[in-house]
Amino acid sequence: MLLPRSSEAGRRPAFDFNQRPLVVIWEVTRACALACRHCRAEANPSRHPLELTFEEGCRLMDQVRELDPAVFVLTGGDPFMRKDLAELTRYGTSIGLRISGSPSGTRLANLKNMQKCAEAGMQRVAFSLDHADEAAHDAFRGVQGSYRWTMEGIAAAREAGLEIQIGTTVTQLNKGTLPAIARKVEELGVSLWSVFFLIPTGRAQLTDMLTPAEHEEVMEWLAEYSRTAPYPIKSTEGPHWRRVLLQKGVSVLPTMGVNDGKGFAFVSHIGDVHPSGFLPWNAGNIREQSLTDIYRNSEIFRMLRDPSQLKGKCGACEYKAICGGSRARAYGVFGDWLAEDPACAYVPPGYVQTAPVVGE
């Protein structure tokens, strides 16, 4: 997720997540030249014939403008696989959307494409960096050269005047290298580091996910590191980091409470609306129903915004209003988006665990 500048967030009215999401993401295509080990979209080199057209994309952005999120992201796959990406950006900017992009680390992340998007109004791009080591990163992304193209893309984005954000997916393969990745992110001089905690969906495997104890260890390290880090840090699909921050007395980012379907909406390449890209439950399609109606009124979105619906220790937890556990992970592991988050090690006072915790 790409966050607004703090000054912009401070000027906006408070969000009522029942009416207005903080973030809307549109997966403009699933086509991508990489073969990432964890890809939630199971991307492939070819574009889908039923992708939203340019005209449908513009109508979607009109609906996004009606919802008025702080952040609107064009993602993929690789959004640069669409030749009309700059034109889509130009239209969104013209109606008042703050556009960010999430390109893949490929040859398409070049200066020409970055300049076209910047000139069209794009303000920020997010690149993925999963290892500080080139060979390990390339192995994770499934294509030799991805690390180099990522570094070149970051340099091109900076030259084009775009803000830069880095995302890192934490798995069993790189959990011990996070300090090295953090040092590399410091060298790159970014606006934000987004640390993503793996969800077993798409190509991602349950065996790649951290155990609850490992999640806690990483989050405690992140909390301490955030005290001195030269950039803001946020977690993706790790809402219990907010609990860890509070327990350690560290200031919490102003996205408190955002979760799958709660302040967040995802539109797929064919127009299906999901609570997030990692919770692939179809709540409706923008070709048949407005995004505003789906976000505000669909049964799954309404349930996900109601913490009283949560089950297990998430339902008993005193932090459920600000955390709520990852609904995508609960669905990916248990097939129930209201179940407790299997990655959380915290046990609420007086709660008796009645079922084994996955990974322990």
Side-chain angles (χ1 to χ4, degrees):
M1 181 173 71
L2 295 94
L3 298 177
R5 299 183 184 93
S6 58
S7 59
E8 291 177 348
R11 289 197 298 268
R12 284 183 170 271
F15 278 80
D16 176 358
F17 287 155
N18 289 312
Q19 298 297 314
R20 176 187 175 203
L22 181 74
V23 181
V24 175
I25 292 182
W26 174 24
E27 174 191 67
V28 296
T29 184
R30 280 199 172 179
C32 182
L34 301 182
C36 301
R37 180 186 176 104
H38 71 299
C39 182
R40 56 137 197 100
E42 299 182 271
N44 61 74
S46 302
R47 291 178 58 185
H48 195 287
L50 298 180
E51 277 179 8
L52 296 181
T53 65
F54 176 80
E55 291 75 17
E56 288 174 321
C58 291
R59 288 198 293 272
L60 166 62
M61 287 189 281
D62 289 337
Q63 296 174 36
V64 173
R65 184 67 186 88
E66 179 183 351
L67 276 174
D68 192 27
V71 181
F72 179 55
V73 184
L74 303 178
T75 190
D78 182 0
F80 278 130
M81 293 290 277
R82 283 192 68 138
K83 295 185 183 301
D84 59 358
L85 181 64
E87 286 69 31
L88 288 166
T89 298
R90 184 171 290 106
Y91 180 79
T93 300
S94 74
I95 62 172
L97 294 174
R98 183 177 188 270
I99 307 287
S100 297
S102 185
S104 299
T106 73
R107 291 185 178 93
L108 293 177
N110 54 50
L111 181 58
K112 179 181 177 181
N113 283 333
M114 293 296 172
Q115 287 176 331
K116 286 173 63 177
C117 286
E119 290 166 1
M122 188 174 287
Q123 298 185 36
R124 179 181 290 195
V125 289
F127 284 93
S128 295
L129 183 66
D130 301 297
H131 286 274
D133 174 77
E134 181 173 357
H137 175 90
D138 286 356
F140 187 82
R141 292 283 156 181
V143 173
Q144 188 174 359
S146 177
Y147 181 91
R148 174 169 53 85
W149 294 324
T150 296
M151 295 300 118
E152 291 173 355
I154 290 170
R158 181 172 289 112
E159 184 173 344
L162 293 162
E163 296 177 32
I164 299 162
Q165 176 175 318
I166 294 295
T168 298
T169 302
V170 183
T171 73
Q172 290 292 344
L173 298 173
N174 67 354
K175 64 187 180 188
T177 68
L178 287 175
I181 297 172
R183 288 193 294 273
K184 185 63 180 180
V185 175
E186 287 184 16
E187 292 174 12
L188 294 172
V190 304
S191 298
L192 181 76
W193 187 27
S194 179
V195 182
F196 165 62
F197 293 90
L198 187 83
I199 302 293
T201 189
R203 293 195 192 111
Q205 300 298 307
L206 183 62
T207 53
D208 290 333
M209 193 174 80
L210 305 189
T211 67
E214 290 168 336
H215 274 90
E216 197 79 1
E217 181 180 355
V218 168
M219 289 178 181
E220 289 183 354
W221 175 81
L222 275 174
E224 290 303 322
Y225 175 63
S226 71
R227 296 180 190 274
T228 57
Y231 42 69
I233 302 171
K234 70 168 289 293
S235 67
T236 300
E237 294 299 349
H240 37 304
W241 191 47
R242 299 172 193 138
R243 165 185 55 81
V244 173
L245 287 170
L246 287 174
Q247 289 173 327
K248 288 187 167 291
V250 181
S251 298
V252 180
L253 289 170
T255 55
M256 183 180 291
V258 174
N259 209 326
D260 306 295
K262 181 183 178 185
F264 197 104
F266 179 92
V267 183
S268 82
H269 60 302
I270 58 173
D272 291 334
V273 181
H274 303 155
S276 79
F278 306 101
L279 206 175
W281 188 273
N282 185 10
N285 189 287
I286 61 98
R287 285 173 165 145
E288 303 165 354
Q289 192 178 358
S290 78
L291 179 62
T292 298
D293 184 38
I294 295 170
Y295 177 80
R296 292 178 179 171
N297 300 316
S298 70
E299 181 180 11
I300 181 173
F301 275 83
R302 291 172 67 90
M303 291 174 70
L304 291 170
R305 291 195 293 266
D306 181 1
S308 70
Q309 299 278 341
L310 297 176
K311 302 174 183 177
K313 65 180 183 180
C314 281
C317 186
E318 69 271 33
Y319 294 101
K320 65 183 177 182
I322 64 164
C323 170
S326 169
R327 302 298 93 222
R329 187 175 293 105
Y331 181 74
V333 174
F334 298 125
D336 180 356
W337 56 70
L338 295 175
E340 65 185 53
D341 185 341
C344 183
Y346 181 71
V347 179
Y351 181 75
V352 178
Q353 189 77 47
T354 56
V357 176
V358 173
E360 292 285 74

